[in-house]
Amino acid sequence: MKIRAVILALLYILMYVNVISAQDVKRVKIYGNVRDVENSPLELVTVSVKGTVLGAVTNEKGYYTLNVSTGDSIVLVFRCMGYNTQERIIPQLSQDMRVNVKMPNITFDLGEVSVTASRRQMDMMESIDAGRIKTLPDPSGGSIESMVVTYAGVSSNNELSSQYSVRGGSYDENIVYVNGLEVFRPLLIRSGQQEGLSFINPEMTENVQFSAGGFEARYGDKMSSVLDIVYKKPKYFEGSVTASLLGASAYVGNSVGKFTQITGIRYKTTRSLLGTLDTKGEYNPDFVDLQTYITYALTPKLSADFMGNVSINNYNFTPKSKEVLFGTAKNPQKFQVFFENSRERDRFQTFFGALTLKYTANDNAQYGFQTSMFNSNEEETYDITGSYRQDLAEAGTTEDDIYSTLGGASYHEHARNRLNAQVANVGVFGLTKLNATNTLKFGINAQYELITDRISEWESRDSSGYSLPHTGTTVNVVSNLFSDNQLESQRYSAYIQDIFKFRTSQGIFTLIGGLRGSYWNYNREMIISPRLSAGFIPNTNQNLIFRLATGLYYQPPFYKELRVTETDEFGNNYITLNKQLKSQRSTHFILGGDYNFQAVGRPFKFTTEMYYKKLDNINPYTVDNVKVRYYGENSAKGYAMGLDMKLFGEFVQGTDSWLSVSLMKSRQTIGDTLTVPMPNDQIYNISLYFQDYFPGNKRARMSLKGILAGGLPVTISNRGWESFKALNGGRGFRTAPYRRVDIGFSYQLAGGEDRIMDRPFFSSFKNIWFGIDIFNLLNISNTNSYYWITDVYNNQYAVPNYLTGRQLNFRISVDF
């Protein structure tokens, strides 16, 4: 009892002393702003006094305030998910004090690879790290698009092409911007072999954002996706040289006073890769691309930017022979072709130039003027003469199969196609911060187009002395197509959108609403496109982010969509332009979100989005390899719906990897009765990007890219979607699933803290990397399209056109 009494007495004394002392303690205010490295305010940053329970959270302006007792030194700790924790020591606190902090993104440095935690995604744009392209095993030679196709909702069934489909849409439904300017592709490309380099130079790229739907009104009139690229403005001298069996590239950038420039040149040749195709011969593809981006500060508030591009792509091919094994284990078949006096020569030249003037009135207002010019000269010429034979294996034979001839024929394919496209743009844009929560963006644009198209192509076949098709005394070619058209028109567009951020007791909200309007004088169509998206972070769980987006997305016709194939009384097909063709329309409904969590002591993010797209005024099309052929009429309606999921995080500590899974269903009804899948109806798509390094040696690392995707619907050439219903007993026919694994190994020969870097020869280099890639590691024969052959009885057979096989690639990269 005495002990208890003593303890109680001591407690009363201590409480009394504390109360008296507290009456004499003076409290001061610590306040300030927290921003990221781009000087944007950071919300939800926790600011605390180390070793105490005192703390605060920044608001949407990045502002915080703390009431702290005066006295000895304290340590302020700033924490935010995705950013490096910052500490500030205040030696002695005697009066109110302002403490501003900049928080850099979390970065894990593995030599050449840096893994940076991304900002919280409150809108529909997802960030992509362009730095990963250098070590990505990519048969196309290194492109941003090769990374995009590993994201949820994006698919590609052709490793030779940089084109991709998003949520069931066509390749033409994706819009690409570089420094705020829309870029265009050649129009005559019909196969991945012809494709040159993507317009985007990854070595010159600083920032990449991508949206698979629900994007803002400031982005143009396309129905599926937007890829937004921003090039670097170097702060100091930098450069790189890379070489491999697929080509070479180099770039150099520097900054001198008010002037910055970055210039890159790329050369690509897929000669060794094309040698793995079934068609053997002399492949001579040569693709060259030169780009430059120059900026100059005319005054402290006015700057001028210039971007230029010259691309020359030549594809020359002399085929010798072709052998394809196909069919089933019970019914194996062999297709052989022997070519004579055959050659293909294609040439695609594009020129692009753009000038931008930007005026920054103050911290809250910026205005600009842009003008650009695009010119494309395209030539496709070929004469392919061959004799083919189709053999069927006899039943019961072993691996040394004995084949019996099923049929044979000779054929001749001829083309003399020319196209010239000129597109000129002029526009103004602006950004105004109305207040701390509202940012208004607007723009007006005018576009002039002049396209000249000359097409002359045909194919004839002969079987047992008869030309196919053979109808009595009349002999016709299998197919032909002629065009002599010119299109001259003007387009006008404008947009306005407001970005509104606010905080309530429930959490943080971001609303982006906008309106876009366009007019085309060729078909005299005016379209209005309202778009709205919202993001929400609940206060109860700040690891969750919810997103919602909806809007009308139109696809005004470009030249390809206008073309209608008509047949005269002699069976000749010629192209006319449908002046009554209207824009296709897609109504987007998207609901999704992110969940950030920790597992095995590492950060992860799980993203999921559900979507439904109502499609109206569809212009039906078929796909052969990468060639899209439209009906040229608004004769269909349909829908696309699905679920996209992605797990992103450190599968291996210190490296970023991700797994994407997409499920989709899309249908179109052509006319009133024909219901068929959309051409890019891919029921499932699973993609993996995985990075690792050897234990104890971070200089040696590995990158793996894997894709497993469902087969696509198949139509017979020049027969439209009616042929799909005629195949496989009316159930339709699909290609085999696309399965591919590419793997790359890299080793840092020199760089970082190496003593070798102090030697005179190496002192100018930052890093030297050597790599080995194995394309198509499992050597799976993927089918891209089919060649349809017909016997004298008009029976048709589908011979698969297989893509590339296993191939080894060596590369070296030097940074300085």
Side-chain angles (χ1 to χ4, degrees):
M1 295 294 294
K2 292 182 178 180
I3 296 175
R4 178 183 293 181
V6 171
I7 293 174
L8 289 174
L10 289 173
L11 288 175
Y12 284 130
I13 294 171
L14 288 173
M15 290 174 61
Y16 177 77
V17 171
N18 284 335
V19 171
I20 298 299
S21 299
Q23 293 177 355
D24 297 329
V25 172
K26 180 182 179 183
R27 302 184 71 85
V28 296
K29 182 172 71 173
I30 301 177
Y31 62 97
N33 291 91
V34 182
R35 295 178 177 270
D36 62 13
V37 292
E38 297 175 353
N39 211 36
S40 299
L42 286 178
E43 304 172 83
L44 298 176
V45 178
T46 301
V47 185
S48 62
V49 178
K50 194 171 185 178
T52 73
V53 295
L54 292 175
V57 178
T58 58
N59 63 14
E60 67 278 358
K61 303 177 185 178
Y63 180 80
Y64 73 94
T65 180
L66 275 172
N67 290 316
V68 183
S69 301
T70 58
D72 295 332
S73 66
I74 65 170
V75 179
L76 291 180
V77 182
F78 299 80
R79 291 188 179 91
C80 184
M81 182 176 294
Y83 296 85
N84 285 315
T85 299
Q86 301 291 300
E87 293 187 355
R88 295 292 184 270
I89 300 175
I90 302 176
Q92 187 173 9
L93 196 59
S94 58
Q95 59 184 358
D96 292 351
M97 180 175 293
R98 184 183 187 93
V99 180
N100 294 332
V101 173
K102 279 194 176 182
M103 300 188 69
N105 297 77
I106 293 176
T107 300
F108 306 97
D109 191 6
L110 295 180
E112 182 62 31
V113 175
S114 61
V115 182
T116 303
S118 58
R119 295 183 64 186
R120 299 189 179 193
Q121 182 188 340
M122 294 286 285
D123 55 18
M124 303 305 294
M125 300 296 291
E126 187 172 8
S127 296
I128 299 176
D129 183 4
R132 296 189 179 97
I133 302 300
K134 268 197 171 184
T135 55
L136 177 72
D138 179 21
S140 67
S143 66
I144 296 293
E145 293 87 343
S146 64
M147 185 67 73
V148 171
V149 299
T150 65
Y151 276 55
V154 187
S155 63
S156 173
N157 283 36
N158 190 339
E159 65 272 6
L160 294 173
S161 173
S162 61
Q163 302 192 56
Y164 52 88
S165 170
V166 178
R167 293 176 175 172
S170 84
Y171 308 136
D172 299 324
E173 294 176 16
N174 308 310
I175 193 167
V176 179
Y177 285 91
V178 177
N179 293 340
L181 296 156
E182 182 181 358
V183 298
F184 300 88
R185 308 174 65 95
L187 299 176
L188 286 182
I189 295 289
R190 59 183 173 83
S191 70
Q193 292 92 311
Q194 296 173 310
E195 274 198 33
L197 291 152
S198 164
F199 182 95
I200 307 164
N201 188 330
E203 293 182 323
M204 297 172 60
T205 300
E206 180 177 57
N207 185 44
V208 183
Q209 289 191 307
F210 175 77
S211 173
F215 43 89
E216 303 165 18
R218 64 190 175 103
Y219 295 114
D221 295 302
K222 297 287 186 178
M223 292 199 303
S224 287
S225 76
V226 60
L227 180 62
D228 192 2
I229 307 294
V230 176
Y231 277 176
K232 299 176 183 177
K233 292 182 179 179
K235 296 180 180 179
Y236 46 83
F237 180 79
E238 62 179 75
S240 176
V241 176
T242 302
S244 74
L245 296 181
L246 297 177
S249 64
Y251 89 94
V252 63
N254 71 308
S255 174
V256 180
K258 300 178 180 180
F259 172 85
T260 74
Q261 71 83 28
I262 185 168
T263 301
I265 185 169
R266 294 177 292 168
Y267 169 73
K268 173 184 172 182
T269 177
T270 52
R271 187 177 294 109
S272 61
L273 192 62
L274 297 179
T276 65
L277 296 172
D278 292 323
T279 302
K280 306 303 179 183
E282 297 178 9
Y283 290 93
N284 291 291
D286 292 300
F287 311 122
V288 179
D289 173 271
L290 175 66
Q291 291 192 41
T292 187
Y293 177 50
I294 300 171
T295 70
Y296 186 77
L298 300 171
T299 70
K301 293 188 175 183
L302 181 64
S303 65
D305 302 350
F306 173 78
M307 182 171 64
N309 170 257
V310 176
S311 178
I312 301 175
N313 302 321
N314 294 315
Y315 177 74
N316 297 318
F317 175 45
T318 303
K320 300 297 183 183
S321 64
K322 178 177 182 176
E323 181 177 305
V324 181
L325 300 177
F326 66 103
T328 64
K330 295 182 179 180
N331 187 28
Q333 298 186 39
K334 179 166 64 175
F335 179 73
Q336 292 178 294
V337 184
F338 303 96
F339 299 97
E340 296 181 2
N341 301 320
S342 300
R343 169 168 285 190
E344 178 175 357
R345 290 183 177 179
D346 304 324
R347 186 176 180 87
F348 304 91
Q349 294 181 326
T350 60
F351 305 90
F352 180 81
L355 177 65
T356 303
L357 297 176
K358 291 182 182 179
Y359 175 72
T360 303
N362 50 56
D363 292 339
N364 298 319
Q366 185 183 77
Y367 308 99
F369 169 83
Q370 283 184 329
T371 182
S372 66
M373 181 69 188
F374 170 80
N375 183 281
S376 180
N377 293 308
E378 307 175 27
E379 298 180 8
E380 183 184 44
T381 64
Y382 57 81
D383 279 287
I384 307 296
T385 303
S387 299
Y388 67 80
R389 190 176 77 181
Q390 183 184 3
D391 296 329
L392 180 66
E394 296 182 2
T397 57
T398 62
E399 59 183 15
D400 297 324
D401 291 323
I402 301 174
Y403 288 90
S404 59
T405 301
L406 186 64
S410 61
Y411 68 96
H412 186 186
E413 297 178 351
H414 167 92
R416 296 293 184 272
N417 301 330
R418 307 282 190 277
L419 186 142
N420 176 262
Q422 300 179 46
V423 181
N425 267 287
V426 61
V428 295
F429 61 90
L431 178 152
T432 301
K433 291 185 179 180
L434 303 178
N435 51 52
T437 60
N438 281 65
T439 301
L440 190 69
K441 295 182 179 181
F442 60 89
I444 303 173
N445 188 73
Q447 181 169 296
Y448 170 79
E449 300 165 3
L450 177 61
I451 299 174
T452 304
D453 185 24
R454 304 287 185 267
I455 291 179
S456 175
E457 61 181 50
W458 50 263
E459 179 185 356
S460 65
R461 297 184 190 174
D462 182 279
S463 178
S464 301
Y466 293 94
S467 291
L468 298 175
H470 177 66
T471 56
T473 58
T474 303
V475 176
N476 297 318
V477 294
V478 173
S479 64
N480 62 16
L481 189 65
F482 302 97
S483 173
D484 187 359
N485 292 300
Q486 186 177 78
L487 172 65
E488 185 175 10
S489 63
Q490 295 86 40
R491 300 177 194 260
Y492 306 94
S493 63
Y495 73 87
I496 184 170
Q497 73 175 45
D498 186 27
I499 303 174
F500 183 44
K501 295 183 179 181
F502 61 94
R503 179 193 293 264
T504 69
S505 58
Q506 286 75 37
I508 296 176
F509 291 84
T510 297
L511 296 178
I512 303 177
L515 192 67
R516 185 177 186 87
S518 301
Y519 176 77
W520 192 25
N521 73 337
Y522 184 75
N523 62 0
R524 300 183 183 275
E525 180 188 30
M526 178 72 186
I527 56 176
I528 301 295
S529 175
R531 304 174 188 179
L532 176 67
S533 66
F536 171 61
I537 301 178
N539 282 336
T540 55
N541 188 345
Q542 296 179 3
N543 291 319
L544 285 173
I545 301 177
F546 298 98
R547 290 186 296 272
L548 172 70
T550 186
L552 294 180
Y553 293 83
Y554 288 90
Q555 178 101 7
F558 201 62
Y559 177 74
K560 273 201 308 185
E561 290 96 316
L562 292 170
R563 302 194 298 185
V564 179
T565 302
E566 299 185 1
T567 305
D568 63 18
E569 57 182 324
F570 303 106
N572 295 313
N573 300 312
Y574 58 94
I575 292 175
T576 60
L577 303 182
N578 181 6
K579 199 169 186 178
Q580 304 304 316
L581 185 70
K582 302 301 181 182
S583 299
Q584 303 179 81
R585 185 176 67 185
S586 176
T587 307
H588 290 196
F589 301 95
I590 302 171
L591 176 64
D594 300 336
Y595 174 56
N596 296 279
F597 63 97
Q598 293 277 330
V600 294
R602 303 170 197 161
F604 288 87
K605 181 174 74 173
F606 178 72
T607 299
T608 181
E609 285 189 352
M610 297 180 292
Y611 64 89
Y612 180 84
K613 298 195 292 186
K614 183 178 180 294
L615 307 174
D616 301 294
N617 290 336
I618 296 177
N619 185 355
Y621 63 92
T622 58
V623 180
D624 185 7
N625 203 309
V626 297
K627 184 175 183 178
V628 178
R629 179 166 289 178
Y630 291 91
Y631 279 37
E633 56 189 25
N634 302 113
S635 59
K637 60 182 179 180
Y639 68 88
M641 63 180 183
L643 174 66
D644 294 333
M645 297 170 286
K646 188 175 82 167
L647 178 63
F648 178 96
E650 294 185 33
F651 293 14
V652 175
Q653 187 173 11
T655 65
D656 281 348
S657 303
W658 58 85
L659 173 67
S660 301
V661 178
S662 298
L663 305 174
M664 182 185 66
K665 180 181 179 181
S666 63
R667 292 292 183 269
Q668 60 180 336
T669 300
I670 303 174
D672 296 323
T673 58
L674 182 60
T675 300
V676 293
M678 297 292 289
N680 288 302
D681 177 54
Q682 205 154 48
I683 300 174
Y684 63 90
N685 189 342
I686 303 172
S687 57
L688 171 69
Y689 177 71
F690 178 75
Q691 295 184 100
D692 196 2
Y693 55 87
F694 286 88
N697 187 1
K698 293 184 178 181
R699 291 182 176 276
R701 58 180 309 275
M702 179 272 290
S703 297
L704 182 144
K705 174 184 172 185
I707 295 177
L708 172 61
L712 297 175
V714 175
T715 59
I716 300 176
S717 300
N718 305 313
R719 293 272 299 273
W721 280 100
E722 291 79 6
S723 64
F724 176 81
K725 282 291 188 180
L727 297 171
N728 197 20
R731 297 187 299 273
F733 178 55
R734 289 176 179 262
T735 62
Y738 183 83
R739 300 158 294 167
R740 186 177 179 92
V741 175
D742 299 318
I743 191 169
F745 300 92
S746 302
Y747 186 80
Q748 188 181 26
L749 297 174
E753 303 298 326
D754 282 351
R755 293 181 180 178
I756 191 175
M757 304 304 287
D758 296 330
R759 299 178 183 178
F761 177 77
F762 294 98
S763 60
S764 299
F765 301 141
K766 294 179 182 177
N767 292 292
I768 302 176
W769 284 83
F770 176 75
I772 300 176
D773 300 321
I774 305 175
F775 301 137
N776 197 357
L777 177 66
L778 304 180
N779 200 30
I780 296 174
S781 297
N782 290 304
T783 302
N784 175 251
S785 60
Y786 290 89
Y787 181 74
W788 295 90
I789 58 177
T790 308
D791 62 19
V792 72
Y793 303 105
N794 215 30
N795 296 319
Q796 288 194 313
Y797 302 88
V799 180
N801 293 314
Y802 291 124
L803 288 164
T804 58
R806 184 188 293 123
Q807 178 69 21
L808 200 64
N809 180 51
F810 299 94
R811 52 184 163 79
I812 187 169
S813 177
V814 179
D815 300 325
F816 52 87

